[in-house]
Amino acid sequence: MKNLLLGLGMLLCIGARSQQVARGLTASNGQFIGFYEYKPTDYNADPTTKYPLIIFLHGIGERGNGTTELSRVRANGIPKYINAGHPMRFYWNGRWQTFLVLSPQLSSSYNWWQDFYIDEMIKYAKENLRVDTNRIILTGLSLGGGGVWEYATRSVQNASTFSAIGVCCPTCQFPNWCNIADGKLPTWAFHATNDGTTPSSCTNGAISAIINCGAAVKPYLTLWENGGHSVWDRAYDTAYAWQNPNIFEWFLGQDKSLPVNIRPKAFAGPDLTISTSTA
């Protein structure tokens, strides 16, 4: 049924899909930021509708000058899917919902994601888009995954900004993981154990550290035995080849105005021991 609904939703958008639009702004520190903005095709149909927002952080190979090199951002992950025509529309909680997506490009002069990129994307979204501030999601892959870790763990206030974060094969970071726990931030991390670029042990350690901080909202960890470093098409699978619900549906299920959406667990009652006098 889910696959049928997903297919119907895709068909409705064929021929009328919106494109990623190249934008640019100057940050408060004077740094130019080039980024892609994606809005649903029916964005102007109802001026009262607010949309969940994804801020996507790319990997090290997609850095550039924000103008003539901005297209590098579309190489992997969410910007690639949008560029190929995916409407970022998913069926969740009984209705179709579409994401706004902002994908900034990190300057080649930086080797790590800087916090001001995320600050400026949040500021831009609140001032220029009809964003549901209870559903702002930060996600990234490889270097971008490390950028997600760094920003979300900088403070409890940073962690509390988001309804969820998603990290895929992130770089190794050593921040204060308790800020994610204290901020009650839903977290889902992905890695492959045979990753030769960024070791999965760092992601394992991050999830364990968040749990050890007494996290009321337990983080999720998905580990694959194979796939190497390039497992982002698994993590960001828009269908159900790798996880059900997929990460986008899980994102939609997180809302700061509601109790945290925790995956259900089956409970058949206490263990029973049954014996008979015969066989």
Side-chain angles (χ1 to χ4, degrees):
M1 177 59 74
K2 278 192 173 182
N3 287 322
L4 174 60
L5 291 171
L6 183 64
L8 289 173
M10 291 287 288
L11 287 172
L12 290 172
C13 294
I14 291 176
R17 61 195 181 208
S18 178
Q19 299 296 315
Q20 293 182 107
V21 177
R23 303 286 190 198
L25 59 82
T26 301
S28 57
N29 63 359
Q31 172 73 50
F32 176 79
I33 300 176
F35 61 97
Y36 280 115
E37 173 190 282
Y38 174 77
K39 294 190 294 187
T41 55
D42 60 352
Y43 182 80
N44 294 322
D46 183 356
T48 66
T49 300
K50 294 184 177 182
Y51 296 86
L53 169 69
I54 291 176
I55 299 172
F56 173 80
L57 307 184
H58 61 69
I60 195 168
E62 289 77 68
R63 293 175 303 163
N65 60 17
T67 55
T68 59
E69 297 171 334
L70 184 60
S71 61
R72 295 177 183 176
V73 173
R74 302 183 308 211
N76 296 304
I78 296 173
K80 182 182 80 170
Y81 305 150
I82 297 173
N83 190 55
H86 197 284
M88 294 305 294
R89 192 166 184 257
F90 299 88
Y91 193 77
W92 184 256
N93 199 27
R95 62 191 177 98
W96 290 100
Q97 302 180 59
T98 309
F99 289 100
L100 296 166
V101 182
L102 297 179
S103 305
Q105 183 174 44
L106 180 66
S107 170
S108 299
S109 62
Y110 295 114
N111 292 321
W112 301 98
W113 276 97
Q114 308 295 303
D115 286 358
F116 71 84
Y117 280 89
I118 298 93
D119 289 333
E120 293 293 343
M121 289 297 98
I122 295 171
K123 179 182 177 183
Y124 174 87
K126 290 181 177 180
E127 292 179 352
N128 297 279
L129 300 170
R130 294 198 311 275
V131 58
D132 180 350
T133 55
N134 285 312
R135 291 194 293 173
I136 298 177
I137 298 107
L138 183 63
T139 188
L141 59 86
S142 193
L143 185 71
V148 173
W149 280 146
E150 282 292 332
Y151 189 90
T153 58
R154 190 74 67 195
S155 66
V156 174
Q157 180 180 357
N158 277 16
S160 301
T161 300
F162 306 107
S163 59
I165 58 172
V167 291
C168 177
C169 50
T171 51
C172 291
Q173 312 297 134
F174 304 95
N176 184 352
W177 299 110
C178 289
N179 285 332
I180 287 180
D182 295 341
K184 297 181 175 60
L185 177 57
T187 300
W188 194 352
F190 303 82
H191 222 124
T193 57
N194 68 339
D195 189 331
T197 303
T198 59
S200 62
S201 58
C202 290
T203 302
N204 253 322
I207 296 300
S208 295
I210 295 170
I211 293 172
N212 290 338
C213 287
V217 180
K218 294 296 189 293
Y220 298 132
L221 173 62
T222 297
L223 284 177
W224 294 290
E225 294 182 354
N226 54 36
H229 187 57
S230 305
V231 292
W232 33 80
D233 283 334
R234 299 182 184 183
Y236 295 113
D237 176 30
T238 58
Y240 308 101
W242 295 99
Q243 45 265 334
N244 189 353
N246 62 45
I247 192 172
F248 300 101
E249 293 172 332
W250 182 76
F251 283 157
L252 288 172
Q254 313 309 315
D255 187 327
K256 285 162 55 69
S257 67
L258 301 172
V260 174
N261 186 4
I262 300 174
R263 290 173 175 173
K265 294 183 179 180
F267 177 65
D271 293 342
L272 299 175
T273 300
I274 300 175
S275 61
T276 66
S277 58
T278 56

